Amino acid sequence: MANNVTVTKEVTRRTFTCSFFREDITPLIRLSTSVTGQNLDEFRKTYGHILHMLTSRVDEWALYTLLQFYDPELRCFTFPDYQLAPTLEEYADILKIKVQHRIPFPNGGTHGFYVKFLMRKADALVIEKKWKEFNALLAVMTYGLVLFPNIPNFVDLTAICLFMDQNPVPTLLADTYYAVHSRYGTKGAVGGCLPLLYEWFTSHLPKSGPFVTTKDSQKWPQRIMGLTANDIVWYHLGKGIEEVITRCGSFNNVPLIGTKGVINYNPRLALRQLGFALKDKPLDKEIFESVCFKKGADPEGLEKVRSAWNSIHTDDRTSLGGKNAIAKQAYTDWVKDRVKKRLLPFPKVKPLYEQPPEVLTATVPAEDYTQVHVENIRLREKREDAKIEYFLVNQKRAELAHEIIKKAIKEAEEKLKQKYREDLKACKLQLEKETKYQLKTMKKKLEDEITQRIAVETQLKGSHLRSARLTEENVKLRDQMESMENAPEKDYLPECNDEYNVEGAGDGVCYGNSCE
């Protein structure tokens, strides 16, 4: 593989300078951070992936290089041996918004709302958590400031009408072509949805190898000139594009109505990007019939284009053949002849990537070799996809095994918890039974003690009463004795008037009533 740039002297056409207009959308990016989780899913389901355009990085040098290859007559970008052209199907795939088969652009105007006013409303809706209304308001501002920018810090009626129509892709493609076409070879700022154009262009460039590793050592023109048709990413299998809008009404191509003007594009030149083969050079009527005028300049032409969109013609595998993103030699030779007439904007350089060997057409047709080569690339991609799928299946299997183990552990834990609860319940019942028995025993013992105590207290109370009575009597007796001791003898010696037969008579004791 060659990483060094070898410049070949040759005649080139003159390049032109251009600038790019992008409005400051920092407040809008801040507002978009409120859209998360389930609300983000609802937003994408309703309005597509338009929020991606807010944070998409745009390398202006890449766009500058791309515009130098623009071919005004063919409405495409012509490179040394291949061509690229934005298509309705690719824009729809990037934004995840389906193209509606109807007149693509309603009427609009310059009336509208200032962004500051809408921002205040949006902030209030965030506080109130009214996400449905907030999503709609955020989408309207994205339409006015990013998808269809017109007046700085202002969302005009045109953007609002396009938002309500919910069919922005044809108008976005029209604005892209009209902005590039009207600014080609002239000074001025290129407008339109630049993040979308940049996203489309880089989707076809290599994602690995010398093109990526030389980004710091080589400029964009050198890197692009180092690519050939073999290095371009032509078609992503994940897109699943099965039907292509190839013409409308009496037009042999597709006329588009934009916010600034009307212009056609040529889908026949972009079939390889959509997964179909470019078998032969295109017919002149398919590519050279042009329509291009400023908004309001040709009312009759505008009405003709609007009528054409009432009769949309599509092609599929039946007319275009099976999916096979190759270019036959007749088409490649036609492109090279076109390059000789128009010249290239930059000098040729040595290819960045190793190219397949030259095959003599006398032995093997070059287009057949190219087809086989592309098929090999496709098979390698399928093999890589199969590896990824195998890895995902193993990962899923591991996750299922983990879930089964987790479930088994959970069931075991539940069983242990159940057994623990049963044991705890049995233990509780046993404890309650023992406690009741102990309480009953203690109660009986306590009752016996109380009975004994009452008996003792009763005895003590009786003893106390007797003691008090005896004490009382003792006091009385003591009082009597004291009174007797203090009284004269006559007071307490009884009179002996009666006669007693008492032993010891004659001992000086009076007996009977003789003594007074």
Side-chain angles (χ1 to χ4, degrees), residues 307-344:
S307 299
W309 270 85
N310 289 321
S311 179
I312 299 173
H313 179 81
T314 61
D315 285 303
D316 54 18
R317 291 174 181 260
T318 304
S319 55
L320 299 176
K323 284 299 182 73
N324 192 11
I326 65 169
K328 293 294 184 75
Q329 192 64 39
Y331 169 79
T332 303
D333 291 340
W334 175 77
V335 173
K336 291 180 178 179
D337 289 340
R338 180 73 181 171
V339 170
K340 290 179 182 179
K341 294 177 183 179
R342 279 189 46 79
L343 301 179
L344 291 170

mmCIF file of all heavy atoms in Angstrom, residues 307-344:
data_model
loop_
_atom_site.group_PDB
_atom_site.id
_atom_site.type_symbol
_atom_site.label_atom_id
_atom_site.label_comp_id
_atom_site.label_asym_id
_atom_site.label_seq_id
_atom_site.Cartn_x
_atom_site.Cartn_y
_atom_site.Cartn_z
ATOM 1 N N SER A 307 -47.110 19.383 -10.630
ATOM 2 C CA SER A 307 -47.958 18.381 -11.288
ATOM 3 C C SER A 307 -47.193 17.084 -11.512
ATOM 4 O O SER A 307 -47.768 15.988 -11.417
ATOM 5 C CB SER A 307 -48.466 18.936 -12.625
ATOM 6 O OG SER A 307 -49.245 20.102 -12.424
ATOM 7 N N ALA A 308 -45.899 17.192 -11.807
ATOM 8 C CA ALA A 308 -45.092 15.998 -12.051
ATOM 9 C C ALA A 308 -45.036 15.098 -10.826
ATOM 10 O O ALA A 308 -44.978 13.864 -10.948
ATOM 11 C CB ALA A 308 -43.682 16.398 -12.477
ATOM 12 N N TRP A 309 -45.067 15.683 -9.631
ATOM 13 C CA TRP A 309 -44.991 14.891 -8.411
ATOM 14 C C TRP A 309 -46.299 14.159 -8.111
ATOM 15 O O TRP A 309 -46.364 13.360 -7.180
ATOM 16 C CB TRP A 309 -44.592 15.759 -7.224
ATOM 17 C CG TRP A 309 -43.103 15.802 -7.058
ATOM 18 C CD1 TRP A 309 -42.228 16.620 -7.686
ATOM 19 C CD2 TRP A 309 -42.335 14.944 -6.223
ATOM 20 N NE1 TRP A 309 -40.943 16.339 -7.301
ATOM 21 C CE2 TRP A 309 -40.964 15.316 -6.393
ATOM 22 C CE3 TRP A 309 -42.633 13.908 -5.349
ATOM 23 C CZ2 TRP A 309 -39.939 14.668 -5.723
ATOM 24 C CZ3 TRP A 309 -41.605 13.268 -4.675
ATOM 25 C CH2 TRP A 309 -40.278 13.648 -4.864
ATOM 26 N N ASN A 310 -47.324 14.422 -8.925
ATOM 27 C CA ASN A 310 -48.544 13.625 -8.810
ATOM 28 C C ASN A 310 -48.420 12.307 -9.564
ATOM 29 O O ASN A 310 -49.281 11.438 -9.454
ATOM 30 C CB ASN A 310 -49.741 14.412 -9.363
ATOM 31 C CG ASN A 310 -50.129 15.568 -8.461
ATOM 32 O OD1 ASN A 310 -50.093 15.443 -7.235
ATOM 33 N ND2 ASN A 310 -50.493 16.693 -9.056
ATOM 34 N N SER A 311 -47.346 12.166 -10.370
ATOM 35 C CA SER A 311 -47.106 10.946 -11.124
ATOM 36 C C SER A 311 -45.647 10.524 -10.925
ATOM 37 O O SER A 311 -44.771 10.839 -11.731
ATOM 38 C CB SER A 311 -47.415 11.170 -12.613
ATOM 39 O OG SER A 311 -47.157 9.998 -13.362
ATOM 40 N N ILE A 312 -45.395 9.824 -9.824
ATOM 41 C CA ILE A 312 -44.043 9.401 -9.455
ATOM 42 C C ILE A 312 -43.766 8.012 -10.018
ATOM 43 O O ILE A 312 -44.573 7.086 -9.856
ATOM 44 C CB ILE A 312 -43.873 9.405 -7.923
ATOM 45 C CG1 ILE A 312 -44.100 10.816 -7.375
ATOM 46 C CG2 ILE A 312 -42.502 8.886 -7.527
ATOM 47 C CD1 ILE A 312 -44.119 10.879 -5.861
ATOM 48 N N HIS A 313 -42.634 7.851 -10.675
ATOM 49 C CA HIS A 313 -42.253 6.552 -11.233
ATOM 50 C C HIS A 313 -41.078 5.981 -10.435
ATOM 51 O O HIS A 313 -40.088 6.659 -10.175
ATOM 52 C CB HIS A 313 -41.839 6.695 -12.705
ATOM 53 C CG HIS A 313 -41.425 5.393 -13.325
ATOM 54 N ND1 HIS A 313 -42.335 4.468 -13.789
ATOM 55 C CD2 HIS A 313 -40.189 4.853 -13.543
ATOM 56 C CE1 HIS A 313 -41.685 3.421 -14.272
ATOM 57 N NE2 HIS A 313 -40.385 3.628 -14.134
ATOM 58 N N THR A 314 -41.204 4.748 -10.039
ATOM 59 C CA THR A 314 -40.146 4.075 -9.290
ATOM 60 C C THR A 314 -39.672 2.840 -10.045
ATOM 61 O O THR A 314 -40.414 2.240 -10.829
ATOM 62 C CB THR A 314 -40.634 3.653 -7.894
ATOM 63 O OG1 THR A 314 -41.732 2.737 -8.032
ATOM 64 C CG2 THR A 314 -41.074 4.866 -7.086
ATOM 65 N N ASP A 315 -38.410 2.450 -9.792
ATOM 66 C CA ASP A 315 -37.837 1.233 -10.356
ATOM 67 C C ASP A 315 -37.332 0.354 -9.226
ATOM 68 O O ASP A 315 -36.909 0.853 -8.169
ATOM 69 C CB ASP A 315 -36.684 1.571 -11.304
ATOM 70 C CG ASP A 315 -37.181 2.118 -12.637
ATOM 71 O OD1 ASP A 315 -37.963 1.426 -13.304
ATOM 72 O OD2 ASP A 315 -36.782 3.247 -12.994
ATOM 73 N N ASP A 316 -37.367 -0.947 -9.452
ATOM 74 C CA ASP A 316 -36.894 -1.904 -8.454
ATOM 75 C C ASP A 316 -36.059 -2.987 -9.129
ATOM 76 O O ASP A 316 -35.572 -2.798 -10.247
ATOM 77 C CB ASP A 316 -38.075 -2.496 -7.676
ATOM 78 C CG ASP A 316 -39.125 -3.104 -8.597
ATOM 79 O OD1 ASP A 316 -38.791 -3.371 -9.776
ATOM 80 O OD2 ASP A 316 -40.265 -3.314 -8.152
ATOM 81 N N ARG A 317 -35.915 -4.136 -8.488
ATOM 82 C CA ARG A 317 -35.083 -5.223 -9.020
ATOM 83 C C ARG A 317 -35.572 -5.701 -10.394
ATOM 84 O O ARG A 317 -34.792 -6.178 -11.206
ATOM 85 C CB ARG A 317 -35.092 -6.397 -8.043
ATOM 86 C CG ARG A 317 -34.367 -6.143 -6.733
ATOM 87 C CD ARG A 317 -34.578 -7.311 -5.787
ATOM 88 N NE ARG A 317 -33.922 -7.086 -4.503
ATOM 89 C CZ ARG A 317 -32.756 -7.598 -4.166
ATOM 90 N NH1 ARG A 317 -32.095 -8.340 -5.040
ATOM 91 N NH2 ARG A 317 -32.228 -7.377 -2.984
ATOM 92 N N THR A 318 -36.869 -5.557 -10.599
ATOM 93 C CA THR A 318 -37.415 -6.037 -11.864
ATOM 94 C C THR A 318 -36.812 -5.304 -13.055
ATOM 95 O O THR A 318 -36.441 -5.912 -14.072
ATOM 96 C CB THR A 318 -38.943 -5.873 -11.878
ATOM 97 O OG1 THR A 318 -39.506 -6.551 -10.756
ATOM 98 C CG2 THR A 318 -39.542 -6.439 -13.152
ATOM 99 N N SER A 319 -36.695 -3.986 -12.940
ATOM 100 C CA SER A 319 -36.170 -3.185 -14.048
ATOM 101 C C SER A 319 -34.686 -2.858 -13.892
ATOM 102 O O SER A 319 -33.984 -2.654 -14.883
ATOM 103 C CB SER A 319 -36.967 -1.881 -14.170
ATOM 104 O OG SER A 319 -36.971 -1.181 -12.929
ATOM 105 N N LEU A 320 -34.201 -2.828 -12.646
ATOM 106 C CA LEU A 320 -32.805 -2.457 -12.416
ATOM 107 C C LEU A 320 -31.881 -3.658 -12.251
ATOM 108 O O LEU A 320 -30.660 -3.515 -12.283
ATOM 109 C CB LEU A 320 -32.699 -1.578 -11.158
ATOM 110 C CG LEU A 320 -33.462 -0.254 -11.205
ATOM 111 C CD1 LEU A 320 -33.357 0.457 -9.860
ATOM 112 C CD2 LEU A 320 -32.945 0.640 -12.315
ATOM 113 N N GLY A 321 -32.469 -4.842 -12.093
ATOM 114 C CA GLY A 321 -31.651 -6.033 -11.867
ATOM 115 C C GLY A 321 -31.405 -6.253 -10.380
ATOM 116 O O GLY A 321 -31.767 -5.440 -9.532
ATOM 117 N N GLY A 322 -30.778 -7.378 -10.080
ATOM 118 C CA GLY A 322 -30.497 -7.691 -8.684
ATOM 119 C C GLY A 322 -29.472 -6.752 -8.066
ATOM 120 O O GLY A 322 -28.796 -5.982 -8.754
ATOM 121 N N LYS A 323 -29.359 -6.826 -6.752
ATOM 122 C CA LYS A 323 -28.412 -5.967 -6.051
ATOM 123 C C LYS A 323 -26.986 -6.356 -6.432
ATOM 124 O O LYS A 323 -26.550 -7.486 -6.199
ATOM 125 C CB LYS A 323 -28.599 -6.079 -4.538
ATOM 126 C CG LYS A 323 -29.826 -5.341 -4.013
ATOM 127 C CD LYS A 323 -29.699 -3.860 -4.321
ATOM 128 C CE LYS A 323 -30.852 -3.047 -3.787
ATOM 129 N NZ LYS A 323 -30.823 -2.891 -2.337
ATOM 130 N N ASN A 324 -26.276 -5.415 -7.042
ATOM 131 C CA ASN A 324 -24.905 -5.664 -7.480
ATOM 132 C C ASN A 324 -24.246 -4.308 -7.730
ATOM 133 O O ASN A 324 -24.319 -3.755 -8.825
ATOM 134 C CB ASN A 324 -24.888 -6.515 -8.752
ATOM 135 C CG ASN A 324 -23.499 -7.028 -9.080
ATOM 136 O OD1 ASN A 324 -22.581 -6.917 -8.267
ATOM 137 N ND2 ASN A 324 -23.333 -7.576 -10.267
ATOM 138 N N ALA A 325 -23.629 -3.746 -6.693
ATOM 139 C CA ALA A 325 -23.097 -2.376 -6.764
ATOM 140 C C ALA A 325 -21.787 -2.329 -7.536
ATOM 141 O O ALA A 325 -20.705 -2.159 -6.972
ATOM 142 C CB ALA A 325 -22.914 -1.822 -5.353
ATOM 143 N N ILE A 326 -21.890 -2.479 -8.850
ATOM 144 C CA ILE A 326 -20.696 -2.412 -9.696
ATOM 145 C C ILE A 326 -20.949 -1.427 -10.838
ATOM 146 O O ILE A 326 -22.079 -0.998 -11.068
ATOM 147 C CB ILE A 326 -20.340 -3.790 -10.287
ATOM 148 C CG1 ILE A 326 -21.454 -4.253 -11.235
ATOM 149 C CG2 ILE A 326 -20.080 -4.799 -9.190
ATOM 150 C CD1 ILE A 326 -21.072 -5.460 -12.057
ATOM 151 N N ALA A 327 -19.886 -1.077 -11.512
ATOM 152 C CA ALA A 327 -19.972 -0.246 -12.716
ATOM 153 C C ALA A 327 -19.309 -0.993 -13.857
ATOM 154 O O ALA A 327 -18.144 -1.393 -13.760
ATOM 155 C CB ALA A 327 -19.305 1.106 -12.486
ATOM 156 N N LYS A 328 -20.050 -1.175 -14.944
ATOM 157 C CA LYS A 328 -19.487 -1.856 -16.116
ATOM 158 C C LYS A 328 -18.497 -0.920 -16.826
ATOM 159 O O LYS A 328 -18.480 0.291 -16.619
ATOM 160 C CB LYS A 328 -20.613 -2.266 -17.064
ATOM 161 C CG LYS A 328 -21.550 -3.350 -16.497
ATOM 162 C CD LYS A 328 -20.819 -4.658 -16.312
ATOM 163 C CE LYS A 328 -21.758 -5.763 -15.852
ATOM 164 N NZ LYS A 328 -22.614 -6.246 -16.924
ATOM 165 N N GLN A 329 -17.699 -1.499 -17.685
ATOM 166 C CA GLN A 329 -16.626 -0.750 -18.341
ATOM 167 C C GLN A 329 -17.162 0.391 -19.207
ATOM 168 O O GLN A 329 -16.546 1.457 -19.285
ATOM 169 C CB GLN A 329 -15.791 -1.704 -19.201
ATOM 170 C CG GLN A 329 -14.479 -1.102 -19.705
ATOM 171 C CD GLN A 329 -13.529 -0.772 -18.563
ATOM 172 O OE1 GLN A 329 -13.440 -1.529 -17.599
ATOM 173 N NE2 GLN A 329 -12.838 0.350 -18.664
ATOM 174 N N ALA A 330 -18.319 0.177 -19.813
ATOM 175 C CA ALA A 330 -18.898 1.223 -20.669
ATOM 176 C C ALA A 330 -19.175 2.492 -19.865
ATOM 177 O O ALA A 330 -18.907 3.615 -20.330
ATOM 178 C CB ALA A 330 -20.174 0.709 -21.331
ATOM 179 N N TYR A 331 -19.690 2.311 -18.666
ATOM 180 C CA TYR A 331 -19.977 3.477 -17.817
ATOM 181 C C TYR A 331 -18.668 4.124 -17.352
ATOM 182 O O TYR A 331 -18.524 5.354 -17.378
ATOM 183 C CB TYR A 331 -20.819 3.065 -16.612
ATOM 184 C CG TYR A 331 -20.933 4.149 -15.583
ATOM 185 C CD1 TYR A 331 -21.802 5.212 -15.743
ATOM 186 C CD2 TYR A 331 -20.115 4.127 -14.439
ATOM 187 C CE1 TYR A 331 -21.884 6.221 -14.794
ATOM 188 C CE2 TYR A 331 -20.193 5.125 -13.495
ATOM 189 C CZ TYR A 331 -21.069 6.178 -13.683
ATOM 190 O OH TYR A 331 -21.140 7.186 -12.753
ATOM 191 N N THR A 332 -17.709 3.307 -16.919
ATOM 192 C CA THR A 332 -16.437 3.849 -16.439
ATOM 193 C C THR A 332 -15.718 4.626 -17.539
ATOM 194 O O THR A 332 -15.166 5.713 -17.289
ATOM 195 C CB THR A 332 -15.538 2.723 -15.918
ATOM 196 O OG1 THR A 332 -16.228 1.997 -14.888
ATOM 197 C CG2 THR A 332 -14.248 3.267 -15.342
ATOM 198 N N ASP A 333 -15.744 4.106 -18.755
ATOM 199 C CA ASP A 333 -15.111 4.818 -19.876
ATOM 200 C C ASP A 333 -15.819 6.148 -20.142
ATOM 201 O O ASP A 333 -15.170 7.158 -20.454
ATOM 202 C CB ASP A 333 -15.145 3.951 -21.141
ATOM 203 C CG ASP A 333 -14.219 2.747 -21.026
ATOM 204 O OD1 ASP A 333 -13.308 2.785 -20.170
ATOM 205 O OD2 ASP A 333 -14.413 1.767 -21.781
ATOM 206 N N TRP A 334 -17.129 6.133 -20.017
ATOM 207 C CA TRP A 334 -17.897 7.386 -20.213
ATOM 208 C C TRP A 334 -17.509 8.420 -19.166
ATOM 209 O O TRP A 334 -17.359 9.619 -19.472
ATOM 210 C CB TRP A 334 -19.390 7.064 -20.146
ATOM 211 C CG TRP A 334 -20.262 8.281 -20.220
ATOM 212 C CD1 TRP A 334 -20.575 9.008 -21.328
ATOM 213 C CD2 TRP A 334 -20.921 8.905 -19.111
ATOM 214 N NE1 TRP A 334 -21.385 10.063 -20.996
ATOM 215 C CE2 TRP A 334 -21.626 10.021 -19.629
ATOM 216 C CE3 TRP A 334 -21.014 8.644 -17.745
ATOM 217 C CZ2 TRP A 334 -22.391 10.858 -18.823
ATOM 218 C CZ3 TRP A 334 -21.767 9.479 -16.951
ATOM 219 C CH2 TRP A 334 -22.452 10.570 -17.478
ATOM 220 N N VAL A 335 -17.323 8.002 -17.919
ATOM 221 C CA VAL A 335 -16.911 8.933 -16.857
ATOM 222 C C VAL A 335 -15.521 9.490 -17.150
ATOM 223 O O VAL A 335 -15.279 10.701 -17.010
ATOM 224 C CB VAL A 335 -16.931 8.227 -15.477
ATOM 225 C CG1 VAL A 335 -16.334 9.148 -14.405
ATOM 226 C CG2 VAL A 335 -18.348 7.839 -15.092
ATOM 227 N N LYS A 336 -14.616 8.630 -17.572
ATOM 228 C CA LYS A 336 -13.259 9.092 -17.858
ATOM 229 C C LYS A 336 -13.245 10.070 -19.029
ATOM 230 O O LYS A 336 -12.483 11.056 -19.027
ATOM 231 C CB LYS A 336 -12.358 7.896 -18.147
ATOM 232 C CG LYS A 336 -12.091 7.027 -16.904
ATOM 233 C CD LYS A 336 -11.201 5.846 -17.244
ATOM 234 C CE LYS A 336 -10.903 5.009 -16.010
ATOM 235 N NZ LYS A 336 -10.043 3.832 -16.311
ATOM 236 N N ASP A 337 -14.088 9.820 -20.019
ATOM 237 C CA ASP A 337 -14.199 10.775 -21.131
ATOM 238 C C ASP A 337 -14.752 12.117 -20.640
ATOM 239 O O ASP A 337 -14.308 13.182 -21.099
ATOM 240 C CB ASP A 337 -15.106 10.212 -22.225
ATOM 241 C CG ASP A 337 -14.462 9.051 -22.972
ATOM 242 O OD1 ASP A 337 -13.210 8.945 -22.911
ATOM 243 O OD2 ASP A 337 -15.190 8.250 -23.588
ATOM 244 N N ARG A 338 -15.686 12.028 -19.715
ATOM 245 C CA ARG A 338 -16.253 13.258 -19.143
ATOM 246 C C ARG A 338 -15.173 14.034 -18.408
ATOM 247 O O ARG A 338 -15.103 15.273 -18.482
ATOM 248 C CB ARG A 338 -17.400 12.897 -18.184
ATOM 249 C CG ARG A 338 -18.073 14.062 -17.515
ATOM 250 C CD ARG A 338 -18.949 14.822 -18.464
ATOM 251 N NE ARG A 338 -19.576 15.965 -17.807
ATOM 252 C CZ ARG A 338 -20.257 16.901 -18.462
ATOM 253 N NH1 ARG A 338 -20.400 16.817 -19.792
ATOM 254 N NH2 ARG A 338 -20.799 17.894 -17.815
ATOM 255 N N VAL A 339 -14.318 13.347 -17.698
ATOM 256 C CA VAL A 339 -13.238 13.987 -16.951
ATOM 257 C C VAL A 339 -12.262 14.667 -17.902
ATOM 258 O O VAL A 339 -11.762 15.775 -17.630
ATOM 259 C CB VAL A 339 -12.514 12.946 -16.063
ATOM 260 C CG1 VAL A 339 -11.234 13.537 -15.476
ATOM 261 C CG2 VAL A 339 -13.434 12.481 -14.932
ATOM 262 N N LYS A 340 -11.971 14.019 -19.032
ATOM 263 C CA LYS A 340 -11.051 14.626 -20.003
ATOM 264 C C LYS A 340 -11.595 15.943 -20.548
ATOM 265 O O LYS A 340 -10.830 16.886 -20.805
ATOM 266 C CB LYS A 340 -10.803 13.647 -21.149
ATOM 267 C CG LYS A 340 -9.966 12.439 -20.758
ATOM 268 C CD LYS A 340 -9.793 11.502 -21.949
ATOM 269 C CE LYS A 340 -8.994 10.254 -21.560
ATOM 270 N NZ LYS A 340 -8.851 9.328 -22.723
ATOM 271 N N LYS A 341 -12.884 16.012 -20.711
ATOM 272 C CA LYS A 341 -13.485 17.239 -21.238
ATOM 273 C C LYS A 341 -13.541 18.330 -20.180
ATOM 274 O O LYS A 341 -13.263 19.494 -20.461
ATOM 275 C CB LYS A 341 -14.889 16.951 -21.760
ATOM 276 C CG LYS A 341 -14.927 16.031 -22.975
ATOM 277 C CD LYS A 341 -16.359 15.739 -23.385
ATOM 278 C CE LYS A 341 -16.422 14.771 -24.560
ATOM 279 N NZ LYS A 341 -17.820 14.448 -24.952
ATOM 280 N N ARG A 342 -13.913 17.939 -18.982
ATOM 281 C CA ARG A 342 -14.095 18.954 -17.925
ATOM 282 C C ARG A 342 -12.817 19.260 -17.161
ATOM 283 O O ARG A 342 -12.689 20.313 -16.558
ATOM 284 C CB ARG A 342 -15.167 18.468 -16.911
ATOM 285 C CG ARG A 342 -16.586 18.704 -17.397
ATOM 286 C CD ARG A 342 -17.566 18.404 -16.277
ATOM 287 N NE ARG A 342 -17.176 19.001 -14.999
ATOM 288 C CZ ARG A 342 -17.352 20.282 -14.680
ATOM 289 N NH1 ARG A 342 -17.859 21.116 -15.579
ATOM 290 N NH2 ARG A 342 -17.004 20.715 -13.492
ATOM 291 N N LEU A 343 -11.921 18.313 -17.118
ATOM 292 C CA LEU A 343 -10.690 18.375 -16.319
ATOM 293 C C LEU A 343 -11.020 18.214 -14.840
ATOM 294 O O LEU A 343 -12.175 18.337 -14.412
ATOM 295 C CB LEU A 343 -9.935 19.690 -16.557
ATOM 296 C CG LEU A 343 -9.511 19.983 -17.990
ATOM 297 C CD1 LEU A 343 -8.788 21.330 -18.056
ATOM 298 C CD2 LEU A 343 -8.618 18.874 -18.542
ATOM 299 N N LEU A 344 -10.003 17.933 -14.085
ATOM 300 C CA LEU A 344 -10.161 17.753 -12.642
ATOM 301 C C LEU A 344 -9.693 19.003 -11.910
ATOM 302 O O LEU A 344 -8.835 19.742 -12.389
ATOM 303 C CB LEU A 344 -9.361 16.532 -12.179
ATOM 304 C CG LEU A 344 -9.894 15.171 -12.644
ATOM 305 C CD1 LEU A 344 -8.883 14.074 -12.340
ATOM 306 C CD2 LEU A 344 -11.245 14.852 -11.999
#
